[in-house]
Amino acid sequence: MNEHEAVRDFIGYGAQPPQAQWPGGARLAINFCLNFEEGAELSVLDGDSITESALTEGGAGVAGQRDLAAESMFEYGSRVGFWRLDRILADRGMTATVMACAQALARHPQACERINERGYDVCAHGLRWEHHQGLSAEDERARIQQALALIQQSLGRDAEGWYCRYGPSPNTRRLVVEQGGLIYDSDAYNDDLPYWVTVQQQPHLVVPYSLVNNDTKFMRGALASGLDFYTALRDAFDFLYEESAHTPRMMSVGLHLRVVGHAGRAAGLARFLDYIATKPDVWVCRRADIARHWMAVHPPS
């Protein structure tokens, strides 16, 4: 076995995935993830060489200079998008997970208060936007510790999971396990169900995420309207719902405050929420709920 075969799993659950046994006999677990990033992106004001313009309507991106257009597009997410998405969910009695960059939370006490009021769980999304792949293990360990401490300081409670912006480094999962206190990570995209891995001779739970059922497709040209978003989510849901009659599955939906938080796109999300509300045996849940269920019902062997 070569080095790459030793660290990659191409088999997973194979032809016989486990029966998830979701609470209440639900067929499908669905988790909405609110990516709270505004104020944690690259910014000349924060000492970076450029202003981040990724996942916006577009900016100038001149090196060494502030991009006021891109800055204000990010600000829309925390000023308007967060409240709109929260209202859409609250009006339907649905919950979500906040994937939070620590610096972004620290800059928005009102949103922190609302996150606590609504009981959203928190998955740490890094200290700020930064490539973990380029960090030394020592620097990455410090960033993880700083992120978790700042989230605790901002919310008065701990994050329960971890998910890297830009993807993990080869050290991330080990450092997350060493840190302790986190019950899962979502730095994987390779399954429709949680699964266990062994890290430093102890079991660790992975709750895979998705960039497929994700509003980032708007900014990459794959979606143009709220109807497009609704159709894409509905088709994914319908297929998983039918499949889950035999093998219950999990569906993650990624939402960004400055993307789907705009009115026309939010209309597609609202339509999807109303659609799934008509279906029996659907568990709209938090990510930590999925993790705790898996730990209790499918403990590591």
Side-chain angles (χ1 to χ4, degrees):
M1 180 178 292
N2 65 39
E3 176 185 358
H4 295 291
E5 289 174 332
V7 298
R8 298 185 66 185
D9 180 2
F10 293 96
I11 307 302
Y13 290 125
Q16 294 184 316
Q19 290 293 317
Q21 301 177 55
W22 299 129
R27 287 167 60 167
L28 182 63
I30 184 166
N31 171 237
F32 296 97
C33 296
L34 303 178
N35 287 265
F36 200 108
E37 304 167 332
E38 289 72 13
E41 77 279 6
L42 296 175
S43 168
V44 173
L45 289 178
D46 287 333
D48 299 305
S49 61
I50 60 170
T51 297
E52 180 69 61
S53 61
L55 302 186
T56 68
E57 312 305 311
V62 178
Q65 298 182 31
R66 291 179 65 189
D67 184 338
L68 299 185
E71 285 183 12
S72 63
M73 291 174 199
F74 268 90
E75 289 165 10
Y76 187 92
S78 57
R79 291 166 61 108
V80 181
F82 170 77
W83 302 107
R84 177 172 287 140
L85 297 182
D86 173 67
R87 177 185 59 77
I88 289 172
L89 289 162
D91 285 351
R92 291 158 177 81
M94 295 182 180
T95 192
T97 293
V98 176
M99 285 186 162
C101 291
Q103 183 172 288
L105 278 188
R107 288 175 163 171
H108 205 322
Q110 288 180 309
C112 290
E113 183 177 350
R114 182 58 175 169
I115 288 167
N116 281 336
E117 286 176 357
R118 289 279 284 128
Y120 297 135
D121 63 320
V122 176
C123 177
H125 198 19
L127 178 63
R128 61 193 303 266
W129 280 27
E130 183 172 44
H131 287 277
H132 278 234
Q133 297 96 324
L135 297 175
S136 68
E138 292 74 19
D139 285 343
E140 187 175 10
R141 180 183 292 109
R143 298 296 201 287
I144 292 171
Q145 291 172 347
Q146 291 164 9
L148 296 176
L150 189 54
I151 288 172
Q152 205 287 329
Q153 178 182 327
S154 299
L155 291 173
R157 58 188 172 100
D158 293 329
E160 294 173 277
W162 181 271
Y163 174 63
C164 279
R165 173 71 178 123
Y166 298 119
S169 81
N171 296 313
T172 303
R173 185 162 289 158
R174 172 177 61 83
L175 295 173
V176 165
V177 171
E178 287 180 1
Q179 172 66 29
L182 296 166
I183 62 175
Y184 72 92
D185 79 64
S186 286
D187 281 323
Y189 309 90
N190 55 3
D191 214 302
D192 290 326
L193 288 172
Y195 60 87
W196 293 96
V197 294
T198 300
V199 180
Q200 294 191 315
Q201 299 182 325
Q202 61 180 300
H204 173 71
L205 186 64
V206 178
V207 182
Y209 189 47
S210 173
L211 297 182
V212 177
N213 306 313
N214 197 298
D215 66 1
T216 56
K217 299 295 181 67
F218 279 111
M219 319 318 291
R220 292 165 181 160
L223 299 171
S225 69
L227 180 59
D228 290 342
F229 194 45
Y230 164 73
T231 302
L233 293 180
R234 184 202 61 199
D235 286 352
F237 174 89
D238 284 349
F239 193 96
L240 288 169
Y241 188 73
E242 180 179 353
E243 192 174 60
S244 293
H246 306 286
T247 305
R249 300 284 190 174
M250 173 186 76
M251 180 177 177
S252 298
V253 179
L255 307 171
H256 293 76
L257 312 182
R258 65 194 174 280
V259 180
V260 77
H262 283 274
R265 297 166 183 162
L269 174 65
R271 186 175 179 181
F272 177 67
L273 298 182
D274 290 339
Y275 177 73
I276 66 174
T278 68
K279 303 293 184 179
D281 301 325
V282 175
W283 183 35
V284 179
C285 58
R286 305 175 304 174
R287 212 158 189 81
D289 297 331
I290 292 174
R292 289 198 171 86
H293 172 84
W294 209 262
M295 295 167 73
V297 178
H298 299 281
S301 57

